[in-house]
Amino acid sequence: MTETGNVWREHGLTEEEYGKIRALMGREPNYLELSLFGVMWSEHCSYKNSKAQLRKFPVTGPQVVQGPGENAGVVRLDESIKLCAAFKMESHNHPSAIEPYQGAATGVGGIIRDIFAMGARPVASLDSLRFGELRFGEAGAQRVKSLFGGVVAGVGGYGNCIGIPTVGGETVFHPSYRGNPLVNAMCVGLVDEDKIFKGQASGTGNVVMVVGARTGRDGIKGASFASEELSDSDPDKRPNVQVGDPFMEKLLLEASLEVLEKGLVVGLQDLGAAGLTSSGAEMAGRAGNGLYIDLDRIPMRESGMEPWEIMLSESQERMLMVVEPPKTGAVRAVFEKWDLAAAEIGEVTSDGLFTIRKGADVLASVPAEFLTGMAPVNVRPYAEPAYFQALQKADFSALENYGKDRGGWTGLLKKLLASPNIASKRWVYEQYDSTVGTNTVVRPGSDAAVLRLPGTRKGMALSVDCNSRYVYLNPRRGGAIAVAEAARNVAASGAKPLAITNCLNFGNPEKPEVYWQFVQATDGMAEACGAFSTPVTGGNVSFYNEYDGRAIYPTPTIGMVGVLDDAEDRVTSAFKAEGDLVVLVGETLEELGASEAHFLLTGRDEGEVPVLDFEREKRLHSFLAEAAKRRLLASAHDCSEGGLSVALAESAIQGNLGAALDWTDGVSPAAALFGESQSRAVVSVSPDKWEETKALLEKHGLPCTPLGRTEGIKKNFGEKKFSVRLGGELLIECALDELARLWNGAIEEALK
Amino acid sequence: MGKNMRAAVVVFPDSNGDRDAKRALGTLGIGARFVWHKESSIEDVDLIVLPGGFSFGDYLRTGAIARYSPVMREVVRQAGRGTRILGICNGFQILTEAGLLPGVLLRNRDLLFLGRDVWLRVENNATPFTNAYAKGQVIRLPIAHGDGNYFIDDEGYKRLEGEGRIVLRYCLPDGMAPNGVAPNGAKGDIAGIVGEKGNVLGLMPHPERMTEPILGGCDGRGIFDSLIADLLSGAAGC
């Protein structure tokens, strides 16, 4: 009996949970049944530790067609042609730590399936990646480099092959991710509003089919693996990592969209974490029905698999479909055309039970609702960690005195541009196909990617963002800033921010200080989403991101979708023409806390996170979108990590134009150049459009500071120059080509 | 203009540039139809496009399995009777595997996938695919491939050069092509070649992705404009 066996532990359950299961079932569950509970009640599938906090998020709005709970969220992009975007982001952190290429590849594959399970054709992917520093001593540096190289190759290997452009993302290097990298993949698809599919097993007597790849032993218990901390013994976990086959997925994608288009399918669900168990139980649970699966009818890749292994296998590139009996032949015919297996493995029932059979034998029978809806909802104890107050105060003298002590500010700008976090991510995104599909109208490297949309003039802007240093130092404000920055990036590209998905990457929630970070960060996100009217339509929680007991920085990655009335109105961050006015929109405060520059000089993350005024931030978004629509801006660039000097240098480098800048404001040179005050953007404007732009800024109540002009080759300098004066005093002066070389080549240099 | 042209775009399992090719042809007024790789004949056609992608997952070797698809026998037959055949990226790889073009496409020199714009010089504009360009014209097109490192033995290379069959070369923005400028390591910086009769073009860059200003440029239109002009001139069927 249970007292001696501790059977629950083997399935990752607590004694308390085991007791609850026995009470619900009214009997002793058998081994297979307990396996089902084990994965379905894991953090990864049940969100038991996060659910209570996620309820804080605003999830509705006129633009929302599908909120959280389905395979992906859906927002409306165009009212008149009923065009919608289905989008979602997911993590694949632990598999990528063990096997970077396959971990990242299957992360991309999984999120793509979530999108076409909604009936949407995937049109774009983005990725948010975090690793340890590229240089921190020999042995560790090699591991980071191989993780980084492997993950980037894996993301590209899968997305390129299947032909979905990877259009944007972010890559961050920080010591907190040394042992536990983050790999978050977002996918976006397009679907007509009246053709959205749901993962529901409706219609008693309908046939349950599994289509695509055969089932093997790969990735068994991956969901449970995702719900544990990492440690040095992890190479043993390699069998927990799935292996991806993008070719198979491409066929599965085309075949699935074909059967949906032909109206042959009632419900569709991807087989992701916890494989047949979660897909079957969730489809039944959503429809309030039951279903049975006969293990003898599942196409297998290998023989001799135990029932629990079959039910928990995470073999990739499989989907579950519910089909009316007369249509199964037509479904099989489509899959045969694509040389794919399609097998009838069970039936929808009215008894509410999720039943596993082997021929005539019933091996397990559990009410689907127990698996999907009855997992405990925990509000964990939480407590403000000691570091929080301690790190609010900091000594910024190294940064403040840099200009005086180190022979001018030019050196610091160069140092920042050549640091992997600020440097161009060209080395990453040039390994991705960003133009397949011929919809990409702003490619990677600008603030947000923009896609044109078929059948309308509209465009869609996409961005993923998080500054986890801010979140660590002030989770509530940092969570809000993550949303603000994602919205700002979308707005800088000319779009109105619509809605978000997210990937909440945190440490072990059983630690009160980690749970405090989670509660605070989600509070901040909820407030920001409310303030910007960008509801949350779905997402993913990834806890237990720890290595040898140390948690990563709290990293709630935000994936934002925005819409432009006309894709031709898109704006990029590159300066466009000689003689354009360069203007700072927003206001710089004396804020050096939590800055990239301070970290670069001292190796310390500390100080007060920049303040965020929701109201002003929102006005900035409205201004940027309206200015784009009126074609006033030659360029627009969000001012973020590295501060104003970095934003200016990036716009200059990208546009291959020099700049002569001279302004005064009331803050110290360090804060003016490298502080990270929020709600700011650098825009360039053709002189003949300045009056109109100024009027628009006034209308939106936004302060602005003209900084100077863009310029071409300087006659007495012989080449293009980037120079910054504050109140007439020359602080930064450098040949543009030199800045460009540093910024463009830093990552390759660091990989040598 | 292109209304009279009849085009077919072959779809292999994991072609992923098939829709892009059809769409680009459409913007020039050329109606195109998809042909599934299991079909064995392509009737009434002036142009056959083998699109980009990863046919059969690039397993074994790029293009190596696609070349055995039933449709390829028909492509070879059509090539023999002068139908224009355009192989883009994976299509180029398939054409070399099928023996319609000489040489082979190896892994990129640095073993990394390359997704970026490149500059190309039109080396020969006296082909059905390039007559709309000036000789020596420099154009910009995207590449997106892991296996674009064109290789051929020295004898074959001399022959290609001597017969003017090197149609596109990678170059610098100013048109200079110092040896080794090809980002993928291609021999002689070759980006595109034609077959012996001039009616089969294989190229690694993607002209179909650069046919509208909103996509970043129109330099790819020349390929399709050339085909239309070529058809109108009645030169088809050599």
Side-chain angles (χ1 to χ4, degrees), chain A residues 719-731:
Chain A
E719 55 183 319
K720 289 169 191 157
K721 189 163 85 171
F722 180 82
S723 68
V724 176
R725 288 176 166 79
L726 277 183
E729 189 189 343
L730 184 66
L731 298 185

PDB file of all heavy atoms in Angstrom, chain A residues 719-731:
ATOM      1  N   GLU A 719      35.551  61.570 -43.631  1.00  0.00           N
ATOM      2  CA  GLU A 719      34.556  60.486 -43.602  1.00  0.00           C
ATOM      3  C   GLU A 719      33.375  60.905 -42.731  1.00  0.00           C
ATOM      4  O   GLU A 719      33.333  62.033 -42.220  1.00  0.00           O
ATOM      5  CB  GLU A 719      35.182  59.191 -43.103  1.00  0.00           C
ATOM      6  CG  GLU A 719      35.871  59.290 -41.757  1.00  0.00           C
ATOM      7  CD  GLU A 719      36.529  57.981 -41.356  1.00  0.00           C
ATOM      8  OE1 GLU A 719      35.914  56.927 -41.571  1.00  0.00           O
ATOM      9  OE2 GLU A 719      37.638  58.011 -40.805  1.00  0.00           O
ATOM     10  N   LYS A 720      32.433  59.972 -42.558  1.00  0.00           N
ATOM     11  CA  LYS A 720      31.263  60.314 -41.746  1.00  0.00           C
ATOM     12  C   LYS A 720      31.631  60.310 -40.272  1.00  0.00           C
ATOM     13  O   LYS A 720      32.414  59.478 -39.830  1.00  0.00           O
ATOM     14  CB  LYS A 720      30.140  59.309 -42.014  1.00  0.00           C
ATOM     15  CG  LYS A 720      29.539  59.472 -43.391  1.00  0.00           C
ATOM     16  CD  LYS A 720      28.631  58.311 -43.746  1.00  0.00           C
ATOM     17  CE  LYS A 720      28.270  58.368 -45.214  1.00  0.00           C
ATOM     18  NZ  LYS A 720      27.872  57.058 -45.741  1.00  0.00           N
ATOM     19  N   LYS A 721      31.019  61.225 -39.541  1.00  0.00           N
ATOM     20  CA  LYS A 721      31.397  61.393 -38.146  1.00  0.00           C
ATOM     21  C   LYS A 721      30.169  61.357 -37.253  1.00  0.00           C
ATOM     22  O   LYS A 721      29.089  61.813 -37.631  1.00  0.00           O
ATOM     23  CB  LYS A 721      32.110  62.735 -37.997  1.00  0.00           C
ATOM     24  CG  LYS A 721      32.746  62.930 -36.639  1.00  0.00           C
ATOM     25  CD  LYS A 721      33.773  64.040 -36.663  1.00  0.00           C
ATOM     26  CE  LYS A 721      33.152  65.389 -36.455  1.00  0.00           C
ATOM     27  NZ  LYS A 721      34.156  66.439 -36.277  1.00  0.00           N
ATOM     28  N   PHE A 722      30.370  60.814 -36.055  1.00  0.00           N
ATOM     29  CA  PHE A 722      29.315  60.819 -35.047  1.00  0.00           C
ATOM     30  C   PHE A 722      29.815  61.657 -33.875  1.00  0.00           C
ATOM     31  O   PHE A 722      30.816  61.310 -33.244  1.00  0.00           O
ATOM     32  CB  PHE A 722      29.024  59.388 -34.602  1.00  0.00           C
ATOM     33  CG  PHE A 722      27.939  59.287 -33.569  1.00  0.00           C
ATOM     34  CD1 PHE A 722      26.601  59.301 -33.947  1.00  0.00           C
ATOM     35  CD2 PHE A 722      28.243  59.171 -32.221  1.00  0.00           C
ATOM     36  CE1 PHE A 722      25.591  59.210 -33.002  1.00  0.00           C
ATOM     37  CE2 PHE A 722      27.238  59.079 -31.271  1.00  0.00           C
ATOM     38  CZ  PHE A 722      25.910  59.095 -31.667  1.00  0.00           C
ATOM     39  N   SER A 723      29.177  62.795 -33.632  1.00  0.00           N
ATOM     40  CA  SER A 723      29.670  63.648 -32.546  1.00  0.00           C
ATOM     41  C   SER A 723      28.528  64.126 -31.661  1.00  0.00           C
ATOM     42  O   SER A 723      27.418  64.377 -32.134  1.00  0.00           O
ATOM     43  CB  SER A 723      30.426  64.849 -33.106  1.00  0.00           C
ATOM     44  OG  SER A 723      29.538  65.706 -33.771  1.00  0.00           O
ATOM     45  N   VAL A 724      28.796  64.196 -30.376  1.00  0.00           N
ATOM     46  CA  VAL A 724      27.797  64.629 -29.401  1.00  0.00           C
ATOM     47  C   VAL A 724      28.393  65.717 -28.525  1.00  0.00           C
ATOM     48  O   VAL A 724      29.484  65.550 -27.959  1.00  0.00           O
ATOM     49  CB  VAL A 724      27.351  63.444 -28.511  1.00  0.00           C
ATOM     50  CG1 VAL A 724      26.383  63.937 -27.433  1.00  0.00           C
ATOM     51  CG2 VAL A 724      26.714  62.346 -29.340  1.00  0.00           C
ATOM     52  N   ARG A 725      27.698  66.828 -28.437  1.00  0.00           N
ATOM     53  CA  ARG A 725      28.053  67.898 -27.515  1.00  0.00           C
ATOM     54  C   ARG A 725      26.898  68.097 -26.541  1.00  0.00           C
ATOM     55  O   ARG A 725      25.735  67.965 -26.913  1.00  0.00           O
ATOM     56  CB  ARG A 725      28.284  69.206 -28.268  1.00  0.00           C
ATOM     57  CG  ARG A 725      29.555  69.249 -29.084  1.00  0.00           C
ATOM     58  CD  ARG A 725      29.647  70.563 -29.868  1.00  0.00           C
ATOM     59  NE  ARG A 725      30.978  70.767 -30.384  1.00  0.00           N
ATOM     60  CZ  ARG A 725      31.461  70.165 -31.489  1.00  0.00           C
ATOM     61  NH1 ARG A 725      30.694  69.322 -32.180  1.00  0.00           N
ATOM     62  NH2 ARG A 725      32.699  70.388 -31.893  1.00  0.00           N
ATOM     63  N   LEU A 726      27.269  68.430 -25.304  1.00  0.00           N
ATOM     64  CA  LEU A 726      26.240  68.837 -24.338  1.00  0.00           C
ATOM     65  C   LEU A 726      26.523  70.274 -23.980  1.00  0.00           C
ATOM     66  O   LEU A 726      27.615  70.584 -23.476  1.00  0.00           O
ATOM     67  CB  LEU A 726      26.281  67.962 -23.083  1.00  0.00           C
ATOM     68  CG  LEU A 726      25.549  66.612 -23.147  1.00  0.00           C
ATOM     69  CD1 LEU A 726      25.634  65.915 -21.806  1.00  0.00           C
ATOM     70  CD2 LEU A 726      24.099  66.762 -23.595  1.00  0.00           C
ATOM     71  N   GLY A 727      25.590  71.164 -24.295  1.00  0.00           N
ATOM     72  CA  GLY A 727      25.793  72.581 -24.039  1.00  0.00           C
ATOM     73  C   GLY A 727      27.049  73.106 -24.706  1.00  0.00           C
ATOM     74  O   GLY A 727      27.767  73.926 -24.140  1.00  0.00           O
ATOM     75  N   GLY A 728      27.355  72.595 -25.887  1.00  0.00           N
ATOM     76  CA  GLY A 728      28.490  73.077 -26.650  1.00  0.00           C
ATOM     77  C   GLY A 728      29.789  72.330 -26.372  1.00  0.00           C
ATOM     78  O   GLY A 728      30.727  72.376 -27.161  1.00  0.00           O
ATOM     79  N   GLU A 729      29.834  71.599 -25.261  1.00  0.00           N
ATOM     80  CA  GLU A 729      31.080  70.891 -24.927  1.00  0.00           C
ATOM     81  C   GLU A 729      31.130  69.534 -25.625  1.00  0.00           C
ATOM     82  O   GLU A 729      30.213  68.713 -25.493  1.00  0.00           O
ATOM     83  CB  GLU A 729      31.164  70.698 -23.412  1.00  0.00           C
ATOM     84  CG  GLU A 729      32.515  70.174 -22.972  1.00  0.00           C
ATOM     85  CD  GLU A 729      32.519  69.763 -21.488  1.00  0.00           C
ATOM     86  OE1 GLU A 729      31.587  70.188 -20.758  1.00  0.00           O
ATOM     87  OE2 GLU A 729      33.417  69.033 -21.078  1.00  0.00           O
ATOM     88  N   LEU A 730      32.211  69.312 -26.351  1.00  0.00           N
ATOM     89  CA  LEU A 730      32.332  68.075 -27.124  1.00  0.00           C
ATOM     90  C   LEU A 730      32.591  66.890 -26.190  1.00  0.00           C
ATOM     91  O   LEU A 730      33.600  66.847 -25.490  1.00  0.00           O
ATOM     92  CB  LEU A 730      33.480  68.205 -28.130  1.00  0.00           C
ATOM     93  CG  LEU A 730      33.674  67.014 -29.072  1.00  0.00           C
ATOM     94  CD1 LEU A 730      32.482  66.855 -30.015  1.00  0.00           C
ATOM     95  CD2 LEU A 730      34.955  67.169 -29.884  1.00  0.00           C
ATOM     96  N   LEU A 731      31.665  65.929 -26.193  1.00  0.00           N
ATOM     97  CA  LEU A 731      31.823  64.777 -25.290  1.00  0.00           C
ATOM     98  C   LEU A 731      32.142  63.487 -26.049  1.00  0.00           C
ATOM     99  O   LEU A 731      32.840  62.621 -25.543  1.00  0.00           O
ATOM    100  CB  LEU A 731      30.541  64.574 -24.469  1.00  0.00           C
ATOM    101  CG  LEU A 731      30.132  65.721 -23.547  1.00  0.00           C
ATOM    102  CD1 LEU A 731      28.914  65.330 -22.720  1.00  0.00           C
ATOM    103  CD2 LEU A 731      31.281  66.124 -22.626  1.00  0.00           C
TER     104      LEU A 731
END
